[in-house]
Amino acid sequence: MTPEDPRAARTRAKLRQALLDECAERPLEETGVAALVRRAGVGRATFYVHYRDLEALAVDACAGVVREAVDALHAWRGLPDPVSAPPALHAFFIALAPHAGLYRSLLRPGGGGPLGRVLHHDLRERSLAERTLAGAPDAPLVASAVAATFAGVLADWLHGLLEGSADAVADQVWQLLVALHRSR
């Protein structure tokens, strides 16, 4: 694997931060490339060298939340508490608030959308690897169910289709996921 050019990494970091800053002030749908590159201090052509469009940049800027979700769901050791989610999962749901509007733009109800696809893929891969390593039956089926359940609940909660505090939803989705793991 070739190491990333530090200049390219810095430029992408500037663009990601500019997008997060812009979306803190207005919805993604109202954000334009011109305002974004001005805020990032880069040229419009430079933007297109790194991203095909604003949605691609937004998914990249939100990729960290996907990693955090996957890590939070796997942040326990031993036998899981079947009622209370791990502290990392509670922290994950609470930390969504500052950029909830941006996540709603990229994660559609039911768990679809560009961020939903990334979340589903990454969570399914991690769950599949862990279930396969443990010799659990029906690893692909349960991994798919876990990924779909989490992405769907998260999206529906962000869109206001599910009521409850971040802590309550963390515990509820955790209970569903534990039940899925025990079902096979």
Side-chain angles (χ1 to χ4, degrees), residues 141-159:
L141 175 67
V142 175
S144 290
V146 164
T149 298
F150 184 77
V153 168
L154 174 62
D156 287 356
W157 180 69
L158 283 170
H159 282 277

Side-chain angles (χ1 to χ4, degrees), residues 80-150:
D81 179 336
V83 177
S84 297
L89 189 57
H90 284 275
F92 167 77
F93 273 91
I94 291 166
L96 293 172
H99 299 293
L102 177 58
Y103 302 142
R104 278 191 296 275
S105 296
L106 300 169
L107 186 61
R108 308 284 187 266
L115 191 59
R117 286 188 295 273
V118 173
L119 177 60
H120 186 277
H121 174 270
D122 289 3
L123 184 52
R124 185 183 187 285
E125 290 301 309
R126 176 87 169 262
S127 295
L128 180 60
E130 290 191 6
R131 289 189 62 79
T132 301
L133 185 64
D138 294 326
L141 175 67
V142 175
S144 290
V146 164
T149 298
F150 184 77

Side-chain angles (χ1 to χ4, degrees), residues 4-176:
E4 183 177 29
D5 177 353
R7 292 170 298 170
R10 280 191 303 273
T11 299
R12 280 194 293 282
K14 282 184 195 178
L15 288 165
R16 287 190 299 265
Q17 188 58 55
L19 179 87
L20 292 173
D21 294 345
E22 281 288 316
C23 288
E25 297 172 8
R26 66 189 50 78
L28 178 62
E29 297 78 23
E30 295 176 17
T31 301
V33 173
L36 187 70
V37 297
R38 219 176 6 262
R39 185 181 284 253
V42 302
R44 190 177 185 94
T46 300
F47 172 86
Y48 288 107
V49 166
H50 296 282
Y51 298 102
R52 74 179 178 281
D53 56 23
L54 279 174
E55 184 178 276
L57 168 59
V59 170
D60 186 33
C62 295
V65 78
V66 169
R67 286 188 296 279
E68 291 167 16
V70 172
D71 290 344
L73 285 170
H74 294 89
W76 56 274
R77 294 294 170 251
L79 291 175
D81 179 336
V83 177
S84 297
L89 189 57
H90 284 275
F92 167 77
F93 273 91
I94 291 166
L96 293 172
H99 299 293
L102 177 58
Y103 302 142
R104 278 191 296 275
S105 296
L106 300 169
L107 186 61
R108 308 284 187 266
L115 191 59
R117 286 188 295 273
V118 173
L119 177 60
H120 186 277
H121 174 270
D122 289 3
L123 184 52
R124 185 183 187 285
E125 290 301 309
R126 176 87 169 262
S127 295
L128 180 60
E130 290 191 6
R131 289 189 62 79
T132 301
L133 185 64
D138 294 326
L141 175 67
V142 175
S144 290
V146 164
T149 298
F150 184 77
V153 168
L154 174 62
D156 287 356
W157 180 69
L158 283 170
H159 282 277
L161 300 174
L162 296 175
E163 293 183 17
S165 67
D167 284 328
V169 173
D171 285 339
Q172 291 166 347
V173 76
W174 179 252
Q175 293 164 16
L176 289 171

